[in-house]
Amino acid sequence: MAARRVGVSSWHRVLSLSGRCGRCSSTNTALGKTVENSEDAREEIVLPRRKTWDKLAVLQTLASTVKRDPTAAHYMFQDDPYLMPRNSATARLFSLSKESGRNAAKYIIKEFPHFFDKILAEPNIPSLMPEICTPQIEGVNEEALKERINLRMVKVSVDLFDQLLQAGTPVSLETTNSLLDLLCFYGDGESTQEKESKEKEDLEESEVNASEQETPKRPPQRGLHPSASRWRENNNAERIFKIMPERNAHSYCTMIRGMVKHGASAKAYDMYTELLNDRHKADVHTFNALIAAVPFLKDRFLERWELIKMFLNHMAQQEVQPNVRTFNAVLKTLRRCGGVGRSMAVPVIKEMEALEIADLAPSSIISEVLDDVEKRSFTPQDPDDARFFISAMQVCCDLKDIKLAYRLNKAMEKGDNWKFLDMDRLNSYWSRFFSLLCMMEQIDVVLKWYKEMSPSLFYPSPKNILDLLQALDAANHLEVIPSVWEDMKQLGFSKRRDLLEELLSLMSRDQHPEEIQLAFAKCAEDIKTVHEQSGKDQAPVEWTGSALGSVTVVFSRAGRIQDAWSMMERFQQINRIPTELVMDEFLNCAKQTNSPDEAIKLVKLAASLGLPSSQKLQSRIEKEFELSEDQKKALESIQSDSDSSDDSDRD
């Protein structure tokens, strides 16, 4: 359009120029020739073809300019700052609470539609408006029956169908098949809306009876409908199917799929035999259901495989094209066929590849599967497709193959493949990937992934933190421990005893530079506070001998003699005995800080606990410390008291 405007304006300028030249002088032929030459020399402008853009093109373009913030939580939690989760448990709880809120809003709209009858939206978007859940067509006719079937009113639809038959009104085959679809889907039970209304009536009735009787009846428990979950004998679906004057392939296929879904596999197989006798053909969904029911029809593994082959041959004879759910059903059934299934799994997958059917079933040939998966973007075609990336990452962890995990992660990030992972699966996937990184990758790479992944992609589990601590230990990068401790507090793992023991053992094992030791001492102080604090709903963490010793060593190496002595006193309070390493480190700290009084207290503590190392400690103090006369007397009195106690024990 812009190019067209440019061409028109140029043409007008040429015309005005030629007009002015004509009016100015008729003898100026040179200028006229110039104008004619310019008109001839003007290039032709070719307008580009119109391109049709997607409705989301602008949003997709804007989204491509924004990168993920590794320090921010998942986008679903950013609307409410009070719903910012700290760990995977709270993330799952908050995501479920948001979904529960949506379901509650839908329930209110469906239960009270008369409160939402005013449409104030401009423009009006029908898909965002409340659904009409009450019948609008009155009377006993086929149109009313269709409406109630679309509203999934099972009991009302069956009653109206019976009324039509009693009145002698014929019902078309298409409408009868729709009613069969409804009955087979719900197993001749009630739809979700009817269940909720019936449960509400039962609950109100039970409350009335409870007020009238001395022994109240127990209200029915929600969701317990065993009759609705199983296929009942001579139910409404079977009754309507038998009285149908005409049946087509859709009628048989609906009955077969309903029977398989609700546990009547033997009846489904008999119904399939009737379908063949009436010379009808089954569709691909019916064959998928029959293949999934094979383990319930045959007991022996070889018989199961023969029955699977029979169904597949029937599909070929009836010219039914298999889909991905067909082969998924075959593979699931082969998992329950023992050695026969293991031997036939690979040929089935090869057949899928020959038919160009993409399956997302992880197996031992995961590398070959990734060769095809990492080239394309997939859309879910089977309910089990959502488990592919998690199962495949678990296979990578079992094989300890980090290169294969990188390939899988690249395939997951390609196109819209990330949509296979919801909040729970996303956290599980990245948790397994991070554990494999800690096991197989260099520490710099591990820390880089850790900063990029947490908390925007996943919340580390206690096992992930333990794997990270072990990776830091293996790479001798213990200076990162203080930042890991801050993450532990943020994640709510500050009272996990296994993590605390591992953290303290790493900080107290070796001597480090002064700066690192001071940072370790701050961590030890936080851990001490965790053990001492207690609230109404919080039980204090009990001290263990190893934890006390580790905290004492960390305080001693940082020169915090008073904090170290407060920890030494706790050994006697909880009836624990400090190790020689703990007492030596405390004595070294007392020497560095020139605190002979604390050193004498240590000897007194060792003597009161009856430790044989008390004499060794006393000799060290006499050699390494400059003691006053009072301190020497105090040290000698400790020795005399210990000797007298030894003599009394001998007597």
Side-chain angles (χ1 to χ4, degrees):
M1 199 68 184
R4 188 176 298 170
R5 290 196 187 98
V6 172
V8 172
S9 61
S10 301
W11 175 249
H12 283 307
R13 285 197 299 270
V14 172
L15 290 179
S16 61
L17 181 62
S18 62
R20 287 198 302 270
C21 291
R23 288 193 299 269
C24 292
S25 174
S26 59
T27 59
N28 195 354
T29 57
L31 184 58
K33 292 180 180 179
T34 304
V35 172
E36 291 178 0
N37 292 336
S38 64
E39 292 178 1
D40 296 338
R42 185 171 58 87
E43 296 181 359
E44 182 182 1
I45 299 176
V46 180
L47 299 178
R49 291 184 179 181
R50 180 180 179 182
K51 183 176 181 179
T52 303
W53 294 93
D54 186 77
K55 295 180 180 180
L56 301 177
V58 177
L59 292 177
Q60 291 173 351
T61 304
L62 293 175
S64 64
T65 62
V66 181
K67 295 183 179 180
R68 176 178 54 84
D69 184 4
T71 63
H74 196 273
Y75 70 90
M76 70 180 301
F77 303 116
Q78 295 179 6
D79 294 336
D80 191 345
Y82 292 99
L83 292 179
M84 298 295 277
R86 296 194 308 165
N87 49 44
S88 58
T90 54
R92 185 175 187 274
L93 177 63
F94 292 165
S95 61
L96 290 177
S97 65
K98 294 192 71 172
E99 188 63 28
S100 177
R102 295 190 187 97
N103 293 335
K106 293 178 182 178
Y107 172 79
I108 294 297
I109 292 175
K110 291 182 179 180
E111 191 71 15
F112 308 101
H114 54 279
F115 292 137
F116 304 94
D117 56 351
K118 295 182 179 180
I119 301 176
L120 303 177
E122 290 293 341
N124 181 25
I125 304 176
S127 60
L128 299 180
M129 293 295 106
E131 298 179 1
I132 300 176
C133 301
T134 56
Q136 304 295 318
I137 302 176
E138 301 294 338
V140 181
N141 51 64
E142 188 171 345
E143 293 299 324
L145 177 60
K146 290 181 180 179
E147 183 188 34
R148 283 150 179 80
I149 292 174
N150 293 331
L151 293 176
R152 297 180 297 174
M153 304 174 69
V154 181
K155 188 176 183 302
V156 177
S157 300
V158 173
D159 294 340
L160 186 56
F161 178 81
D162 292 337
Q163 293 177 15
L164 289 172
L165 293 183
Q166 292 174 2
T169 304
V171 182
S172 65
L173 178 61
E174 181 182 359
T175 304
T176 307
N177 284 338
S178 299
L179 181 58
L180 280 180
D181 291 340
L182 183 67
L183 292 172
C184 292
F185 182 81
Y186 289 106
D188 197 31
E190 299 169 344
S191 65
T192 305
Q193 299 175 2
E194 291 178 317
K195 285 181 182 179
E196 292 174 350
S197 60
K198 185 176 180 181
E199 288 171 1
K200 184 189 299 182
E201 294 175 358
D202 294 342
L203 185 59
E204 293 175 354
E205 183 180 356
S206 64
E207 291 176 353
V208 172
N209 294 335
S211 62
E212 295 177 353
Q213 300 178 3
E214 294 181 358
T215 56
K217 294 182 180 180
R218 185 178 182 181
Q221 296 182 4
R222 182 179 179 84
L224 295 180
H225 296 277
S227 59
S229 61
R230 307 298 298 175
W231 188 267
R232 294 182 296 182
E233 192 73 22
N234 297 323
N235 55 19
N236 287 323
E238 291 186 5
R239 178 177 64 84
I240 293 175
F241 181 80
K242 291 177 182 179
I243 64 177
M244 289 176 64
E246 181 185 359
R247 305 165 189 157
N248 58 5
H250 184 93
S251 308
Y252 284 98
C253 292
T254 297
M255 292 294 294
I256 293 172
R257 294 171 63 188
M259 290 174 176
V260 171
K261 178 181 179 181
H262 299 285
S265 301
K267 282 193 172 186
Y269 186 71
D270 296 338
M271 184 65 66
Y272 176 69
T273 305
E274 294 183 17
L275 178 143
L276 296 179
N277 294 335
D278 288 349
R279 298 182 179 181
H280 291 299
K281 294 182 180 181
D283 57 9
V284 63
H285 306 292
T286 304
F287 279 111
N288 295 346
L290 289 170
I291 293 173
V294 166
F296 305 100
L297 296 173
K298 300 295 181 180
D299 295 331
R300 296 184 177 180
F301 296 155
L302 189 58
E303 292 178 353
R304 292 178 180 178
W305 171 241
E306 293 297 331
L307 187 58
I308 292 174
K309 287 198 300 183
M310 186 195 75
F311 287 137
L312 295 176
N313 290 330
H314 287 184
M315 292 181 70
Q317 295 170 6
Q318 299 177 24
E319 297 181 352
V320 178
Q321 179 70 20
N323 58 14
V324 63
R325 302 192 68 172
T326 306
F327 288 98
N328 280 350
V330 173
L331 292 175
K332 290 178 185 177
T333 305
L334 289 178
R335 291 177 60 184
R336 307 179 66 173
C337 293
V340 177
R342 287 190 291 271
S343 62
M344 299 307 302
V346 175
V348 169
I349 295 178
K350 295 297 183 183
E351 184 68 19
M352 291 171 58
E353 294 177 354
L355 294 175
E356 296 182 354
I357 295 178
D359 180 48
L360 294 181
S363 62
S364 58
I365 55 173
I366 183 66
S367 180
E368 299 181 11
V369 174
L370 284 180
D371 290 339
D372 182 60
V373 170
E374 62 185 358
K375 299 176 183 178
R376 294 183 290 168
S377 176
F378 292 89
T379 56
Q381 301 181 26
D382 189 273
D384 292 335
D385 287 348
R387 298 188 298 181
F388 167 73
F389 287 104
I390 298 179
S391 302
M393 184 56 70
Q394 184 60 48
V395 173
C396 296
C397 293
D398 295 338
L399 298 175
K400 295 181 176 59
D401 194 335
I402 189 63
K403 294 182 179 180
L404 200 62
Y406 281 135
R407 290 180 57 192
L408 177 65
N409 189 64
K410 184 178 180 181
M412 187 272 294
E413 295 177 345
K414 184 177 181 61
D416 292 336
N417 291 342
W418 60 272
K419 294 182 179 179
F420 283 88
L421 301 173
D422 57 10
M423 189 63 198
D424 287 342
R425 292 189 177 97
L426 186 70
N427 200 77
S428 179
Y429 170 84
W430 287 109
S431 178
R432 297 177 185 182
F433 183 44
F434 183 72
S435 294
L436 184 61
L437 286 172
C438 293
M439 187 188 310
M440 306 299 297
E441 198 53 276
Q442 298 291 330
I443 190 61
D444 295 336
V445 179
V446 173
L447 294 176
K448 179 182 177 182
W449 277 98
Y450 179 73
K451 292 179 180 179
E452 293 179 355
M453 292 160 55
S454 174
S456 59
L457 293 177
F458 87 117
Y459 294 91
S461 64
K463 183 181 182 302
N464 295 138
I465 297 296
L466 192 61
D467 293 338
L468 178 59
L469 291 176
Q470 293 174 354
L472 293 174
D473 182 21
N476 196 21
H477 272 59
L478 300 183
E479 68 276 2
V480 189
I481 285 181
S483 63
V484 176
W485 168 246
E486 293 297 327
D487 293 341
M488 287 175 57
K489 293 192 295 183
Q490 182 69 24
L491 294 168
F493 299 154
S494 58
K495 291 189 175 183
R496 297 276 305 195
R497 180 169 295 179
D498 53 344
L499 296 180
L500 292 178
E501 294 285 346
E502 181 70 19
L503 193 74
L504 289 172
S505 65
L506 293 178
M507 292 192 298
S508 62
R509 188 178 58 189
D510 299 321
Q511 182 74 35
H512 298 278
E514 182 180 0
E515 183 179 357
I516 298 177
Q517 288 295 159
L518 292 176
F520 285 175
K522 292 182 180 179
C523 298
E525 185 177 3
D526 292 340
I527 295 174
K528 176 186 174 183
T529 305
V530 168
H531 282 78
E532 292 177 349
Q533 68 181 4
S534 62
K536 295 181 179 180
D537 300 331
Q538 295 179 352
V541 181
E542 296 183 359
W543 282 106
T544 61
S546 59
L548 272 177
S550 299
V551 173
T552 305
V553 170
V554 172
F555 281 149
S556 300
R557 289 174 178 170
R560 299 173 60 168
I561 187 64
Q562 296 299 329
D563 294 326
W565 173 246
S566 66
M567 302 308 299
M568 292 296 298
E569 289 179 326
R570 290 188 176 273
F571 279 100
Q572 194 170 12
Q573 296 174 2
I574 65 172
N575 295 324
R576 295 291 189 274
I577 297 177
T579 62
E580 292 187 5
L581 174 63
V582 174
M583 292 186 290
D584 289 340
E585 290 292 341
F586 181 83
L587 196 58
N588 293 336
C589 178
K591 180 181 177 181
Q592 292 175 0
T593 58
N594 193 18
S595 304
D597 293 334
E598 277 68 23
I600 295 173
K601 291 179 182 179
L602 177 63
V603 176
K604 186 177 181 179
L605 176 64
S608 63
L609 294 175
L611 300 180
S613 58
S614 60
Q615 296 181 355
K616 179 182 177 182
L617 294 173
Q618 183 177 357
S619 61
R620 278 193 59 187
I621 293 174
E622 293 175 350
K623 293 179 181 179
E624 300 177 5
F625 287 84
E626 296 181 0
L627 303 177
S628 63
E629 293 297 329
D630 294 336
Q631 292 172 345
K632 290 180 180 180
K633 290 179 180 179
L635 193 61
E636 292 174 357
S637 64
I638 296 173
Q639 181 63 29
S640 61
D641 292 340
S642 62
D643 293 340
S644 61
S645 62
D646 293 340
D647 294 339
S648 61
D649 293 338
R650 292 173 185 174
D651 294 339

